[in-house]
């Protein structure tokens, strides 16, 4: 019988792409999302993209902290495993509103774990982040690097990771995989689902995409005096479809009897500079991106990329897409949906 996976935050950027891969993989997907940073149009489009598998998707608008509603959902549906994406993720906002972030991300996770325990569902994949490493002194970052998160959003991740470890130590029936993502970008190759941030984007790719479609006049490059190949910051950008596949690999790993609570990086293991990304995006889109060179963004680091050895060895997973693929798919999504999910259907 097909396994049923609860996906929290499944209407969001990474969640929607993962739900699609789950459906294609023959899983049933139960999605809960409060739509705080997403649209139910994403859910509808995932259903359509999934074709005959679309009927295996059930969506309920719900805040994860609504424990009675979550209890009811678990009582009504036999859930075999959970992928937990739901959370707030804007670094700057988290510095202004730390309690909002701690409340949403920590209470959300604890409520979920309590309800899972009550219903005997003890299989979890959690969205952590490379943000747990802060700005590491050397690269590539291995999973053994010390945790050094530097802002409230970032700190919610190691806190939740530790809660998971403590829980698993207390009850070995739990199987938990913590996935630390590097910089997710791109979109489904169909151009039908993608990232649609509310307000002004904080991250490089969504900002550049909005410049390319004429929603913003220019892209600001934050710092060109780093000691990198061209002076701009270097990151490990990973295609969101590769990331989604990484979640399927993690789910499969949960059935390994040796798994307790394990952490894996999901990245490509390759660093790209801001100027390299801009050049690749200009080539993919055929658009010239107007640039404003500015000073370093406060709190930014110089160079971060993943060690991917552990995920390759133990999850049997490796990123397939390169920077050109990421930019092509990002542009395809932007071009078809210049105003994200609010664009007219075509
Ligand atoms: P997203 O904002 O697109 O998706 C998160 C979803 O969770 C949204 O649809 C939002 O409405 C929902 N949500 C938030 N709080 C909720 C709550 N209390 N109850 C129910 N739903 C709630 O973000 P994303 O980029 O898809 O990120 C998914 C996860 O991956 C997050 O936990 C994020 O911290 C983590 N992550 C993201 C990145 C990134 O750059 N995108 C990097 C590393 C880790
Ligand atoms: C940011 C978050 C990090 C989060 C990650 C998710 C901060 C300090 N860190 O990291 O916690 O996990 O996103 O993907 O916000 N850049 C520009 N112009 C822009 C935007 C970005 O030049 O308008 C540069 C940045 O200086 C950086 C690179 O582009 O060198 C990538 O930036 P961004 O996409 O924001 O990701 P991170 O800084 O890695």
């Amino acid at each position: 019988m097909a396994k049923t996976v609860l996906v929290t935050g499944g209407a969001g950027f990474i969640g929607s792409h993962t739900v699609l891969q789950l459906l294609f993989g023959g899983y049933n997907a139960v999605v809960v999302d409060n739509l705080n940073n997403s649209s139910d149009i994403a859910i509808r489009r995932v259903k359509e993209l999934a074709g005959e598998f679309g009927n295996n998707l059930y969506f309920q608008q719900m805040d994860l902290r609504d424990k009675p509603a979550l209890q009811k959902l678990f009582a009504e549906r036999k859930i075999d495993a959970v992928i937990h994406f739901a959370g707030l993720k804007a670094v700057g906002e988290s510095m202004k509103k730390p309690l909002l972030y701690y409340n949403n991300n920590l209470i959300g996770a604890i409520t979920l774990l309590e309800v899972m325990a009550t219903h005997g569902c003890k299989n979890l994949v959690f969205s952590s982040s490379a943000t747990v490493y802060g700005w590491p002194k050397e690269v590539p970052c291995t999973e053994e690097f010390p945790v050094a998160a530097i802002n409230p959003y970032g700190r919610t991740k190691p806190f939740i990771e530790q809660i998971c470890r403590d829980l698993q130590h207390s009850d070995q029936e739990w199987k938990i995989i913590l996935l630390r993502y590097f910089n997710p970008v791109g979109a489904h190759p169909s151009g039908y689902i993608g990232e649609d941030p509310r307000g002004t984007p904080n991250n490089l790719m969504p900002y550049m995409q909005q410049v390319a479609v004429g929603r913003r006049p220019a892209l600001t490059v934050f710092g060109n005096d780093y000691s990198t190949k061209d002076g701009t910051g270097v990151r490990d950008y990973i295609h969101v479809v590769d990331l989604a596949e990484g979640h399927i690999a993690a789910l499969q790993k949960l059935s390994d009897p040796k798994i307790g609570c394990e952490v894996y990086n999901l990245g490509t293991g390759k660093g790209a500079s801001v100027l390299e990304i801009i050049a690749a995006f200009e080539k993919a889109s055929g658009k010239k991106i107007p640039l404003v060179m500015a000073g370093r963004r406060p709190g930014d680091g110089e160079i971060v990329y993943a060690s991917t050895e552990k995920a390759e060895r133990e999850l049997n997973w490796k990123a397939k897409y390169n920077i050109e693929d990421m930019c092509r798919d990002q542009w395809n999504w932007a071009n078809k949906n210049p105003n994200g999910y609010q664009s007219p259907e075509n």
Side-chain angles (χ1 to χ4, degrees), residues 75-125:
E76 285 167 0
R77 296 180 177 260
K78 205 200 144 304
I79 291 166
D80 299 298
V82 177
I83 306 182
H84 177 40
F85 291 106
L88 297 174
K89 61 164 189 178
V91 171
E93 186 185 49
S94 83
M95 284 152 76
K96 291 192 194 97
K97 300 176 182 171
L99 290 180
L100 177 71
Y101 273 66
Y102 288 127
N103 187 309
N104 190 78
N105 293 5
L106 298 185
I107 309 282
I110 292 168
T111 307
L112 173 67
L113 292 168
E114 285 174 346
V115 174
M116 287 175 71
T118 305
H119 292 269
C121 172
K122 298 181 181 177
N123 297 310
L124 175 73
V125 176

Tab-separated table of all heavy atoms in Angstrom, residues 75-125:
chain	number	residue	atom	x	y	z
A	75	ALA	N	-5.812	11.711	13.451
A	75	ALA	CA	-6.805	10.674	13.784
A	75	ALA	C	-7.537	10.221	12.523
A	75	ALA	O	-7.909	9.050	12.393
A	75	ALA	CB	-7.790	11.210	14.821
A	76	GLU	N	-7.724	11.145	11.589
A	76	GLU	CA	-8.502	10.832	10.383
A	76	GLU	C	-7.692	10.117	9.315
A	76	GLU	O	-8.244	9.406	8.489
A	76	GLU	CB	-9.055	12.127	9.777
A	76	GLU	CG	-10.229	12.699	10.554
A	76	GLU	CD	-10.565	14.131	10.128
A	76	GLU	OE1	-9.882	14.690	9.231
A	76	GLU	OE2	-11.495	14.683	10.706
A	77	ARG	N	-6.367	10.383	9.280
A	77	ARG	CA	-5.538	9.838	8.188
A	77	ARG	C	-4.382	9.068	8.778
A	77	ARG	O	-3.751	9.535	9.721
A	77	ARG	CB	-4.997	10.981	7.325
A	77	ARG	CG	-6.130	11.675	6.663
A	77	ARG	CD	-5.768	12.808	5.792
A	77	ARG	NE	-7.016	13.252	5.222
A	77	ARG	CZ	-7.446	12.939	3.999
A	77	ARG	NH1	-6.697	12.232	3.202
A	77	ARG	NH2	-8.615	13.351	3.584
A	78	LYS	N	-4.063	7.943	8.204
A	78	LYS	CA	-2.933	7.166	8.723
A	78	LYS	C	-1.650	7.714	8.120
A	78	LYS	O	-1.364	7.483	6.955
A	78	LYS	CB	-3.119	5.685	8.372
A	78	LYS	CG	-2.377	4.799	9.325
A	78	LYS	CD	-2.115	3.430	8.776
A	78	LYS	CE	-0.777	2.866	9.203
A	78	LYS	NZ	0.389	3.691	8.875
A	79	ILE	N	-0.927	8.467	8.915
A	79	ILE	CA	0.273	9.121	8.389
A	79	ILE	C	1.499	8.305	8.767
A	79	ILE	O	1.714	7.982	9.940
A	79	ILE	CB	0.348	10.577	8.913
A	79	ILE	CG1	-0.795	11.368	8.247
A	79	ILE	CG2	1.704	11.209	8.604
A	79	ILE	CD1	-1.092	12.678	8.861
A	80	ASP	N	2.290	7.947	7.764
A	80	ASP	CA	3.451	7.091	7.998
A	80	ASP	C	4.706	7.893	8.336
A	80	ASP	O	5.576	7.410	9.059
A	80	ASP	CB	3.728	6.240	6.744
A	80	ASP	CG	2.552	5.341	6.409
A	80	ASP	OD1	2.227	4.483	7.239
A	80	ASP	OD2	1.936	5.531	5.346
A	81	ALA	N	4.820	9.079	7.744
A	81	ALA	CA	6.029	9.890	7.963
A	81	ALA	C	5.687	11.352	7.736
A	81	ALA	O	4.670	11.675	7.103
A	81	ALA	CB	7.128	9.463	6.993
A	82	VAL	N	6.541	12.224	8.262
A	82	VAL	CA	6.313	13.671	8.139
A	82	VAL	C	7.557	14.329	7.558
A	82	VAL	O	8.685	14.003	7.962
A	82	VAL	CB	6.001	14.295	9.519
A	82	VAL	CG1	5.847	15.814	9.402
A	82	VAL	CG2	4.736	13.679	10.123
A	83	ILE	N	7.340	15.242	6.608
A	83	ILE	CA	8.425	16.151	6.192
A	83	ILE	C	8.018	17.535	6.685
A	83	ILE	O	6.966	18.055	6.297
A	83	ILE	CB	8.634	16.167	4.661
A	83	ILE	CG1	8.849	14.751	4.122
A	83	ILE	CG2	9.832	17.050	4.320
A	83	ILE	CD1	9.121	14.684	2.615
A	84	HIS	N	8.853	18.094	7.546
A	84	HIS	CA	8.469	19.332	8.232
A	84	HIS	C	9.207	20.538	7.650
A	84	HIS	O	10.360	20.798	7.989
A	84	HIS	CB	8.772	19.186	9.728
A	84	HIS	CG	8.493	20.424	10.515
A	84	HIS	ND1	7.405	21.230	10.287
A	84	HIS	CD2	9.178	20.999	11.552
A	84	HIS	CE1	7.435	22.253	11.124
A	84	HIS	NE2	8.496	22.134	11.902
A	85	PHE	N	8.492	21.275	6.770
A	85	PHE	CA	9.047	22.498	6.167
A	85	PHE	C	8.534	23.764	6.850
A	85	PHE	O	9.163	24.820	6.737
A	85	PHE	CB	8.604	22.632	4.700
A	85	PHE	CG	9.191	21.642	3.748
A	85	PHE	CD1	8.431	20.598	3.245
A	85	PHE	CD2	10.503	21.767	3.328
A	85	PHE	CE1	8.962	19.707	2.338
A	85	PHE	CE2	11.045	20.870	2.414
A	85	PHE	CZ	10.267	19.832	1.922
A	86	ALA	N	7.333	23.692	7.454
A	86	ALA	CA	6.642	24.924	7.864
A	86	ALA	C	7.495	25.739	8.824
A	86	ALA	O	7.947	25.242	9.854
A	86	ALA	CB	5.308	24.573	8.511
A	87	GLY	N	7.707	26.996	8.479
A	87	GLY	CA	8.461	27.875	9.355
A	87	GLY	C	8.612	29.226	8.692
A	87	GLY	O	8.413	29.365	7.479
A	88	LEU	N	8.938	30.206	9.502
A	88	LEU	CA	9.266	31.537	8.965
A	88	LEU	C	10.762	31.556	8.698
A	88	LEU	O	11.536	30.938	9.439
A	88	LEU	CB	8.877	32.617	9.976
A	88	LEU	CG	7.379	32.701	10.282
A	88	LEU	CD1	7.123	33.697	11.416
A	88	LEU	CD2	6.584	33.097	9.037
A	89	LYS	N	11.198	32.314	7.672
A	89	LYS	CA	12.596	32.147	7.245
A	89	LYS	C	13.331	33.438	6.888
A	89	LYS	O	14.435	33.366	6.343
A	89	LYS	CB	12.647	31.190	6.059
A	89	LYS	CG	11.879	31.699	4.848
A	89	LYS	CD	12.230	30.975	3.567
A	89	LYS	CE	11.616	31.663	2.370
A	89	LYS	NZ	11.942	31.074	1.106
A	90	ALA	N	12.746	34.608	7.151
A	90	ALA	CA	13.431	35.845	6.743
A	90	ALA	C	14.366	36.329	7.861
A	90	ALA	O	13.915	36.681	8.966
A	90	ALA	CB	12.417	36.923	6.391
A	91	VAL	N	15.658	36.342	7.556
A	91	VAL	CA	16.665	36.665	8.564
A	91	VAL	C	16.431	38.053	9.182
A	91	VAL	O	16.397	38.205	10.405
A	91	VAL	CB	18.074	36.610	7.932
A	91	VAL	CG1	19.128	37.136	8.879
A	91	VAL	CG2	18.398	35.195	7.497
A	92	GLY	N	16.250	39.074	8.317
A	92	GLY	CA	16.098	40.450	8.806
A	92	GLY	C	14.877	40.593	9.692
A	92	GLY	O	14.947	41.181	10.790
A	93	GLU	N	13.753	40.010	9.247
A	93	GLU	CA	12.523	40.094	10.048
A	93	GLU	C	12.720	39.398	11.397
A	93	GLU	O	12.221	39.859	12.429
A	93	GLU	CB	11.372	39.438	9.273
A	93	GLU	CG	10.035	39.614	9.954
A	93	GLU	CD	8.910	38.863	9.261
A	93	GLU	OE1	9.071	37.663	8.962
A	93	GLU	OE2	7.854	39.467	9.036
A	94	SER	N	13.480	38.315	11.395
A	94	SER	CA	13.670	37.574	12.654
A	94	SER	C	14.459	38.399	13.669
A	94	SER	O	14.325	38.208	14.878
A	94	SER	CB	14.367	36.236	12.390
A	94	SER	OG	15.772	36.376	12.295
A	95	MET	N	15.302	39.320	13.172
A	95	MET	CA	16.065	40.165	14.093
A	95	MET	C	15.165	41.248	14.695
A	95	MET	O	15.359	41.668	15.829
A	95	MET	CB	17.275	40.763	13.375
A	95	MET	CG	18.356	39.694	13.219
A	95	MET	SD	19.424	39.894	11.817
A	95	MET	CE	20.459	41.193	12.329
A	96	LYS	N	14.162	41.656	13.918
A	96	LYS	CA	13.224	42.671	14.429
A	96	LYS	C	12.135	42.054	15.286
A	96	LYS	O	11.614	42.685	16.198
A	96	LYS	CB	12.570	43.400	13.243
A	96	LYS	CG	13.547	44.276	12.479
A	96	LYS	CD	12.798	45.204	11.507
A	96	LYS	CE	13.743	45.839	10.514
A	96	LYS	NZ	13.797	45.141	9.218
A	97	LYS	N	11.750	40.810	14.962
A	97	LYS	CA	10.627	40.165	15.652
A	97	LYS	C	11.027	38.767	16.133
A	97	LYS	O	10.466	37.756	15.676
A	97	LYS	CB	9.436	40.038	14.688
A	97	LYS	CG	8.933	41.373	14.157
A	97	LYS	CD	7.816	41.132	13.147
A	97	LYS	CE	7.323	42.434	12.566
A	97	LYS	NZ	6.399	42.222	11.440
A	98	PRO	N	12.002	38.688	17.055
A	98	PRO	CA	12.488	37.356	17.445
A	98	PRO	C	11.398	36.467	18.044
A	98	PRO	O	11.372	35.263	17.780
A	98	PRO	CB	13.595	37.658	18.465
A	98	PRO	CG	13.406	39.085	18.863
A	98	PRO	CD	12.747	39.771	17.734
A	99	LEU	N	10.488	37.075	18.822
A	99	LEU	CA	9.482	36.219	19.466
A	99	LEU	C	8.544	35.588	18.447
A	99	LEU	O	8.097	34.455	18.619
A	99	LEU	CB	8.676	37.018	20.500
A	99	LEU	CG	9.471	37.425	21.748
A	99	LEU	CD1	8.583	38.223	22.707
A	99	LEU	CD2	10.043	36.200	22.452
A	100	LEU	N	8.251	36.342	17.381
A	100	LEU	CA	7.416	35.791	16.314
A	100	LEU	C	8.069	34.534	15.743
A	100	LEU	O	7.424	33.503	15.519
A	100	LEU	CB	7.247	36.839	15.210
A	100	LEU	CG	6.462	36.409	13.982
A	100	LEU	CD1	4.981	36.272	14.308
A	100	LEU	CD2	6.655	37.401	12.836
A	101	TYR	N	9.397	34.613	15.540
A	101	TYR	CA	10.122	33.484	14.948
A	101	TYR	C	10.225	32.314	15.915
A	101	TYR	O	10.026	31.165	15.542
A	101	TYR	CB	11.513	33.947	14.441
A	101	TYR	CG	11.364	34.466	13.026
A	101	TYR	CD1	10.623	35.618	12.774
A	101	TYR	CD2	11.863	33.764	11.941
A	101	TYR	CE1	10.408	36.070	11.478
A	101	TYR	CE2	11.661	34.214	10.637
A	101	TYR	CZ	10.930	35.353	10.419
A	101	TYR	OH	10.712	35.772	9.135
A	102	TYR	N	10.565	32.631	17.183
A	102	TYR	CA	10.674	31.532	18.145
A	102	TYR	C	9.315	30.894	18.362
A	102	TYR	O	9.192	29.673	18.450
A	102	TYR	CB	11.289	32.023	19.468
A	102	TYR	CG	12.772	32.312	19.321
A	102	TYR	CD1	13.316	33.535	19.701
A	102	TYR	CD2	13.633	31.351	18.784
A	102	TYR	CE1	14.675	33.795	19.544
A	102	TYR	CE2	14.987	31.602	18.627
A	102	TYR	CZ	15.502	32.828	19.006
A	102	TYR	OH	16.846	33.075	18.849
A	103	ASN	N	8.272	31.714	18.440
A	103	ASN	CA	6.936	31.146	18.642
A	103	ASN	C	6.555	30.260	17.462
A	103	ASN	O	6.216	29.092	17.617
A	103	ASN	CB	5.913	32.285	18.843
A	103	ASN	CG	4.547	31.738	19.220
A	103	ASN	OD1	4.030	30.848	18.553
A	103	ASN	ND2	3.962	32.250	20.296
A	104	ASN	N	6.611	30.826	16.270
A	104	ASN	CA	6.150	30.069	15.102
A	104	ASN	C	6.990	28.801	14.879
A	104	ASN	O	6.453	27.707	14.745
A	104	ASN	CB	6.221	30.959	13.855
A	104	ASN	CG	5.519	30.307	12.675
A	104	ASN	OD1	4.299	30.306	12.579
A	104	ASN	ND2	6.291	29.711	11.792
A	105	ASN	N	8.309	28.968	14.855
A	105	ASN	CA	9.145	27.830	14.456
A	105	ASN	C	9.282	26.788	15.571
A	105	ASN	O	9.220	25.584	15.305
A	105	ASN	CB	10.522	28.322	13.996
A	105	ASN	CG	10.427	29.133	12.708
A	105	ASN	OD1	9.334	29.416	12.205
A	105	ASN	ND2	11.566	29.533	12.164
A	106	LEU	N	9.459	27.249	16.808
A	106	LEU	CA	9.669	26.278	17.895
A	106	LEU	C	8.352	25.660	18.349
A	106	LEU	O	8.247	24.443	18.474
A	106	LEU	CB	10.392	26.926	19.082
A	106	LEU	CG	11.794	27.456	18.786
A	106	LEU	CD1	12.472	27.958	20.051
A	106	LEU	CD2	12.665	26.373	18.160
A	107	ILE	N	7.335	26.485	18.583
A	107	ILE	CA	6.043	25.923	19.042
A	107	ILE	C	5.457	25.043	17.938
A	107	ILE	O	4.880	23.993	18.212
A	107	ILE	CB	5.030	27.026	19.431
A	107	ILE	CG1	5.660	28.035	20.410
A	107	ILE	CG2	3.737	26.431	19.983
A	107	ILE	CD1	5.774	27.624	21.821
A	108	GLY	N	5.628	25.484	16.681
A	108	GLY	CA	5.150	24.662	15.561
A	108	GLY	C	5.794	23.277	15.590
A	108	GLY	O	5.116	22.251	15.494
A	109	ALA	N	7.126	23.243	15.743
A	109	ALA	CA	7.842	21.958	15.727
A	109	ALA	C	7.454	21.105	16.942
A	109	ALA	O	7.218	19.892	16.817
A	109	ALA	CB	9.350	22.204	15.720
A	110	ILE	N	7.373	21.723	18.109
A	110	ILE	CA	7.064	20.948	19.320
A	110	ILE	C	5.645	20.384	19.236
A	110	ILE	O	5.400	19.215	19.558
A	110	ILE	CB	7.256	21.818	20.592
A	110	ILE	CG1	8.742	22.137	20.770
A	110	ILE	CG2	6.698	21.114	21.834
A	110	ILE	CD1	9.051	23.212	21.804
A	111	THR	N	4.704	21.210	18.773
A	111	THR	CA	3.319	20.736	18.637
A	111	THR	C	3.277	19.543	17.691
A	111	THR	O	2.643	18.514	17.982
A	111	THR	CB	2.408	21.878	18.102
A	111	THR	OG1	2.586	23.017	18.935
A	111	THR	CG2	0.949	21.472	18.076
A	112	LEU	N	3.980	19.674	16.572
A	112	LEU	CA	4.005	18.579	15.594
A	112	LEU	C	4.559	17.293	16.228
A	112	LEU	O	3.969	16.217	16.099
A	112	LEU	CB	4.873	18.997	14.393
A	112	LEU	CG	5.146	17.914	13.355
A	112	LEU	CD1	3.856	17.519	12.617
A	112	LEU	CD2	6.187	18.380	12.341
A	113	LEU	N	5.697	17.415	16.930
A	113	LEU	CA	6.325	16.228	17.521
A	113	LEU	C	5.410	15.596	18.575
A	113	LEU	O	5.303	14.366	18.661
A	113	LEU	CB	7.678	16.602	18.136
A	113	LEU	CG	8.750	17.012	17.112
A	113	LEU	CD1	9.954	17.654	17.799
A	113	LEU	CD2	9.190	15.811	16.272
A	114	GLU	N	4.733	16.431	19.359
A	114	GLU	CA	3.824	15.892	20.383
A	114	GLU	C	2.686	15.107	19.730
A	114	GLU	O	2.341	14.012	20.174
A	114	GLU	CB	3.242	17.042	21.227
A	114	GLU	CG	4.251	17.608	22.209
A	114	GLU	CD	3.747	18.848	22.968
A	114	GLU	OE1	2.717	19.437	22.549
A	114	GLU	OE2	4.410	19.228	23.935
A	115	VAL	N	2.121	15.675	18.676
A	115	VAL	CA	0.986	14.999	18.028
A	115	VAL	C	1.470	13.721	17.330
A	115	VAL	O	0.800	12.677	17.389
A	115	VAL	CB	0.268	15.959	17.043
A	115	VAL	CG1	-0.815	15.245	16.265
A	115	VAL	CG2	-0.320	17.153	17.804
A	116	MET	N	2.642	13.789	16.715
A	116	MET	CA	3.194	12.571	16.087
A	116	MET	C	3.360	11.473	17.141
A	116	MET	O	2.997	10.317	16.905
A	116	MET	CB	4.552	12.885	15.441
A	116	MET	CG	4.462	13.713	14.178
A	116	MET	SD	6.103	14.168	13.544
A	116	MET	CE	6.716	12.571	12.942
A	117	ALA	N	3.919	11.850	18.304
A	117	ALA	CA	4.156	10.852	19.359
A	117	ALA	C	2.830	10.235	19.805
A	117	ALA	O	2.717	9.014	19.945
A	117	ALA	CB	4.875	11.505	20.531
A	118	THR	N	1.824	11.076	19.998
A	118	THR	CA	0.514	10.579	20.445
A	118	THR	C	-0.032	9.545	19.472
A	118	THR	O	-0.665	8.575	19.878
A	118	THR	CB	-0.504	11.755	20.525
A	118	THR	OG1	0.066	12.740	21.357
A	118	THR	CG2	-1.844	11.321	21.061
A	119	HIS	N	0.228	9.766	18.185
A	119	HIS	CA	-0.339	8.866	17.171
A	119	HIS	C	0.655	7.801	16.715
A	119	HIS	O	0.394	7.094	15.743
A	119	HIS	CB	-0.879	9.689	15.990
A	119	HIS	CG	-2.078	10.495	16.388
A	119	HIS	ND1	-3.369	10.021	16.261
A	119	HIS	CD2	-2.183	11.706	16.975
A	119	HIS	CE1	-4.205	10.933	16.738
A	119	HIS	NE2	-3.519	11.960	17.173
A	120	GLY	N	1.778	7.703	17.397
A	120	GLY	CA	2.739	6.637	17.085
A	120	GLY	C	3.402	6.795	15.724
A	120	GLY	O	3.898	5.829	15.148
A	121	CYS	N	3.405	8.019	15.203
A	121	CYS	CA	4.098	8.280	13.928
A	121	CYS	C	5.459	8.866	14.274
A	121	CYS	O	5.551	10.003	14.742
A	121	CYS	CB	3.271	9.259	13.088
A	121	CYS	SG	4.148	9.814	11.611
A	122	LYS	N	6.520	8.094	14.099
A	122	LYS	CA	7.833	8.498	14.616
A	122	LYS	C	8.899	8.581	13.514
A	122	LYS	O	10.069	8.302	13.767
A	122	LYS	CB	8.251	7.545	15.740
A	122	LYS	CG	7.267	7.589	16.920
A	122	LYS	CD	7.656	6.685	18.057
A	122	LYS	CE	6.633	6.773	19.168
A	122	LYS	NZ	6.927	5.855	20.278
A	123	ASN	N	8.462	8.925	12.324
A	123	ASN	CA	9.387	9.084	11.189
A	123	ASN	C	9.347	10.521	10.715
A	123	ASN	O	8.297	10.995	10.275
A	123	ASN	CB	8.959	8.181	10.025
A	123	ASN	CG	9.035	6.722	10.392
A	123	ASN	OD1	10.051	6.256	10.903
A	123	ASN	ND2	7.951	5.998	10.165
A	124	LEU	N	10.507	11.189	10.780
A	124	LEU	CA	10.511	12.623	10.478
A	124	LEU	C	11.719	13.027	9.629
A	124	LEU	O	12.846	12.606	9.884
A	124	LEU	CB	10.567	13.416	11.792
A	124	LEU	CG	10.689	14.939	11.662
A	124	LEU	CD1	9.370	15.558	11.189
A	124	LEU	CD2	11.089	15.569	12.992
A	125	VAL	N	11.443	13.895	8.649
A	125	VAL	CA	12.522	14.595	7.925
A	125	VAL	C	12.312	16.080	8.195
A	125	VAL	O	11.215	16.607	7.977
A	125	VAL	CB	12.444	14.321	6.403
A	125	VAL	CG1	13.513	15.135	5.664
A	125	VAL	CG2	12.609	12.831	6.114
